[in-house]
């Protein structure tokens, strides 16, 4: 299945400056340190006209104080302090619950980092702390998923058995429903290989492609609007000639969890058999 989506790179950024780590007394002993990181994807959840990055810094500073990180040295522990650190961070969250404006959303992750001499450090998220409007306003990105590659491959196999009219009509229908997205290569006179992408948008892509860069609140009204439009388009092309099956779906993906679900899906079945 081909998924057409302008992705927003999910970057988890550790918001520390260069840190000096305290040495371990026993090189064979596992030690533990704790670290707070701001999930930079959370900054996408803001009212850009009201956004103030200093709000994030205030909470970050408070969380660092809670885990006893002074900005330069991480304290190492011989035993895990998970519950103590999580309780300290939860207290910060509660303290700032009524102070963070609704124009912002923050998500901080609490990491435990296990260190052992001669081995790579192992980091694990043991707690996440959210503040702001997105606690009740999940956001999603939209994408179009089709069986573009499979449909054109099947049509190529069937071409020798189809009349010219049916073949050309099926090509036109596929272009309408799933578009044309191919990559062509050409060798220039200089010997350089040139690659060119060919894109002819489907009727669905033409309508929705400008949505793919943005985040939207996940609402039933938004999903209903999409379904109404797509049902109408599908009905208008229900009798178009097709020698192969075509599948089109509009999906939504939760911006933070990356969980995807169909908003609308339609399988246009082949209606010509030769």
């Amino acid at each position: 299945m081909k998924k057409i989506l302008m992705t927003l790179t999910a970057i988890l950024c550790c918001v520390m400056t260069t840190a000096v780590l305290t040495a371990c007394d026993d090189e064979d002993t596992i030690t533990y340190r704790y670290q707070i990181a701001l999930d930079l994807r959370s900054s996408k959840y803001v009212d850009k006209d009201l956004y103030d990055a200093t709000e994030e810094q205030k909470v970050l500073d408070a969380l660092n104080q809670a885990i006893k990180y002074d900005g330069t040295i991480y304290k190492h522990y011989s035993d895990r302090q998970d519950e103590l650190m999580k309780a300290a961070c939860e207290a910060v969250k509660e303290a700032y619950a009524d102070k963070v404006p609704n124009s912002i959303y923050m998500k901080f992750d609490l990491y435990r980092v296990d260190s052992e001499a001669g081995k790579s450090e192992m980091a694990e998220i043991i707690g996440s702390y959210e503040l702001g409007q997105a606690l009740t306003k999940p956001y999603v990105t939209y994408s179009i998923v089709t069986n573009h590659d499979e449909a054109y491959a099947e049509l190529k196999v069937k071409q020798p058995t189809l009349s010219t009219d049916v073949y050309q009509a099926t090509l036109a229908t596929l272009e309408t429903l799933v578009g044309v997205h191919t990559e062509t290569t050409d060798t220039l006179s200089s010997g350089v290989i040139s690659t060119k992408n060919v894109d002819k948008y489907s009727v669905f892509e033409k309508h929705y492609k400008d949505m793919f860069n943005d985040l939207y609140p996940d609402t039933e009204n938004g999903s209903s609007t999409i379904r109404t439009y797509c049902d109408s388009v599908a009905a208008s092309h229900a009798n178009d000639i097709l020698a192969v099956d075509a599948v089109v779906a509009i999906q939504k993906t939760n911006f933070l969890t990356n969980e995807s679900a169909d908003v609308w899906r339609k399988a246009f079945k082949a209606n010509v058999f030769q």
Side-chain angles (χ1 to χ4, degrees):
M1 301 290 281
K2 183 176 288 288
K3 188 168 187 175
I4 300 165
L5 169 66
M6 297 293 288
T7 58
L8 293 163
T9 306
I11 303 172
L12 184 63
C13 179
C14 179
V15 287
M16 64 178 178
T17 57
T18 302
V20 179
L21 307 182
T22 56
C24 305
D25 294 331
D26 186 346
E27 291 186 353
D28 294 328
T29 302
I30 298 177
T31 61
Y32 309 94
R33 76 173 191 269
Y34 293 84
Q35 184 172 318
I36 291 291
L38 169 66
D39 187 336
L40 291 186
R41 292 177 297 176
S42 63
S43 65
K44 300 293 183 179
Y45 280 84
V46 301
D47 182 330
K48 293 180 176 59
D49 294 331
L50 301 176
Y51 175 62
D52 183 357
T54 60
E55 298 290 344
E56 289 175 347
Q57 191 61 47
K58 290 176 184 176
V59 181
L60 177 62
D61 290 344
L63 288 169
N64 276 325
Q65 289 176 11
I67 65 170
K68 305 185 186 308
Y69 171 57
D70 65 3
T72 57
I73 298 176
Y74 284 107
K75 182 176 181 180
H76 286 250
Y77 299 87
S78 58
D79 298 309
R80 291 184 175 182
Q81 307 288 316
D82 292 14
E83 297 308 314
L84 179 65
M85 295 299 179
K86 287 193 285 187
C89 291
E90 192 64 37
V92 172
K93 175 184 173 180
E94 292 177 3
Y96 278 85
D98 296 327
K99 299 178 182 179
V100 174
N102 286 334
S103 59
I104 194 171
Y105 169 72
M106 310 176 197
K107 180 174 183 286
F108 297 92
D109 293 318
L110 171 63
Y111 285 81
R112 183 189 65 247
V113 183
D114 300 2
S115 302
E116 186 174 3
K119 295 184 179 180
S120 298
E121 291 186 324
M122 301 295 292
E124 179 183 354
I125 295 176
I126 62 171
S128 293
Y129 307 93
E130 300 172 292
L131 292 163
Q133 66 176 353
L135 294 174
T136 55
K137 289 184 178 180
Y139 280 66
V140 294
T141 57
Y142 290 101
S143 60
I144 294 181
V145 181
T146 74
N147 70 334
H148 174 282
D149 293 350
E150 296 88 344
Y152 281 103
E154 185 180 355
L155 180 60
K156 184 176 182 179
V157 171
K158 285 188 172 183
Q159 183 178 0
T161 68
L162 301 175
S163 68
T164 301
D165 289 345
V166 169
Y167 175 73
Q168 293 296 335
T170 297
L171 277 179
T173 301
L174 288 179
E175 181 176 331
T176 297
L177 299 179
V178 302
V180 178
H181 304 283
T182 60
E183 185 177 87
T184 61
T185 58
D186 186 26
T187 302
L188 305 179
S189 58
S190 61
V192 176
I193 297 177
S194 173
T195 300
K196 180 180 180 181
N197 292 320
V198 177
D199 292 298
K200 295 181 181 179
Y201 294 116
S202 71
V203 63
F204 299 100
E205 292 163 351
K206 289 176 182 176
H207 187 77
Y208 287 117
K209 64 183 178 68
D210 291 337
M211 293 176 60
F212 297 165
N213 287 319
D214 296 322
L215 291 170
Y216 295 88
D218 186 12
T219 65
E220 177 53 35
N221 183 60
S223 295
S224 178
T225 299
I226 289 172
R227 287 192 291 267
T228 298
Y229 170 79
C230 291
D231 282 341
S232 175
V233 172
S236 67
H237 293 281
N239 297 318
D240 290 4
I241 293 176
L242 262 180
V244 297
D245 292 351
V247 179
V248 182
I250 308 294
Q251 289 188 342
K252 62 181 179 182
T253 301
N254 184 287
F255 190 60
L256 287 182
T257 67
N258 290 320
E259 295 178 350
S260 296
D262 287 346
V263 176
W264 179 88
R265 178 178 287 268
K266 174 71 174 179
F268 298 84
K269 294 295 184 180
N271 52 25
V272 176
F273 304 94
Q274 291 184 347

